Amino acid sequence: MSDSPETQPAGDLPSDAIDFADLNFKLAVIQELMYEQELLTPQFVLTDFLEEHVDREVDLSKEISEPIPEVLEYFRSLPVPTEFAPAVEELFQDGGNDIYMEIAPQWSGEDSTFDITDFTDTRHFPNLSAMTLLGVDEEVLDGLRRKGIDAQLL
């Protein structure tokens, strides 16, 4: 079995992996590390994953606006090494982010599916200085700003 994301089994997190409190925060970090900086490799490819790991028919030509459970579980279990934490300086959530299109290919970006609700994970990222977020209120933005993070609503 190879170490590619298409074939890597889900399991317990290694001791050198970040333990995230909020899955949607983790997804924003994976977007940055896998699709923007290309540090977390190889990149996840939905069609390959479905072919190799999903035993049911998933028709991508139809409306798939909800997260595909097997894909969401893959990302939930994917270890993010602590050594990558300093590389995360900015997180940018947008409805068209690659990670969201891999999880829910026809997601509209207009509901709370990927909204971050717990920001305690900021503690893992010493260089995080900017965040553009979906679905948060001004109180959350102010709290992040008090932590020294330039937080904006998309």
Side-chain angles (χ1 to χ4, degrees):
M1 186 174 277
S2 79
D3 290 332
S4 74
E6 294 79 27
T7 59
Q8 183 177 10
D12 294 329
L13 291 178
S15 62
D16 65 343
I18 298 167
D19 185 16
F20 287 88
D22 188 289
L23 176 59
N24 288 333
F25 193 100
K26 181 179 184 178
L27 295 176
V29 168
I30 293 171
Q31 170 68 31
E32 177 65 19
L33 293 174
M34 183 177 284
Y35 297 101
E36 305 302 330
Q37 295 187 34
E38 299 181 357
L39 291 174
L40 192 57
T41 59
Q43 284 187 0
F44 180 91
V45 178
L46 177 60
T47 53
D48 294 343
F49 181 83
L50 293 175
E51 184 178 299
E52 295 176 23
H53 294 286
V54 178
D55 294 331
R56 63 183 177 85
E57 181 73 25
V58 177
D59 186 351
L60 296 178
S61 67
K62 292 185 178 177
E63 192 71 15
I64 301 176
S65 58
E66 297 296 317
I68 299 169
E70 296 91 341
V71 176
L72 195 58
E73 184 54 37
Y74 169 81
F75 283 115
R76 182 185 320 277
S77 300
L78 180 69
V80 176
T82 56
E83 70 184 89
F84 293 158
V88 178
E89 298 176 1
E90 180 177 0
L91 295 177
F92 186 86
Q93 281 191 297
D94 180 88
N97 282 3
D98 296 310
I99 194 158
Y100 305 140
M101 296 300 96
E102 297 291 351
I103 296 169
Q106 300 298 324
W107 181 58
S108 68
E110 298 189 16
D111 62 33
S112 62
T113 299
F114 296 110
D115 289 359
I116 298 170
T117 59
D118 183 341
F119 288 87
T120 59
D121 289 321
T122 58
R123 72 183 187 276
H124 299 299
F125 302 94
N127 298 326
L128 181 60
S129 61
M131 295 179 79
T132 302
L133 300 164
L134 301 170
V136 296
D137 59 29
E138 197 61 38
E139 185 178 333
V140 170
L141 296 174
D142 287 343
L144 291 167
R145 291 173 187 141
R146 284 191 295 276
K147 291 181 178 186
I149 298 170
D150 177 17
Q152 306 297 322
L153 185 62
L154 181 67

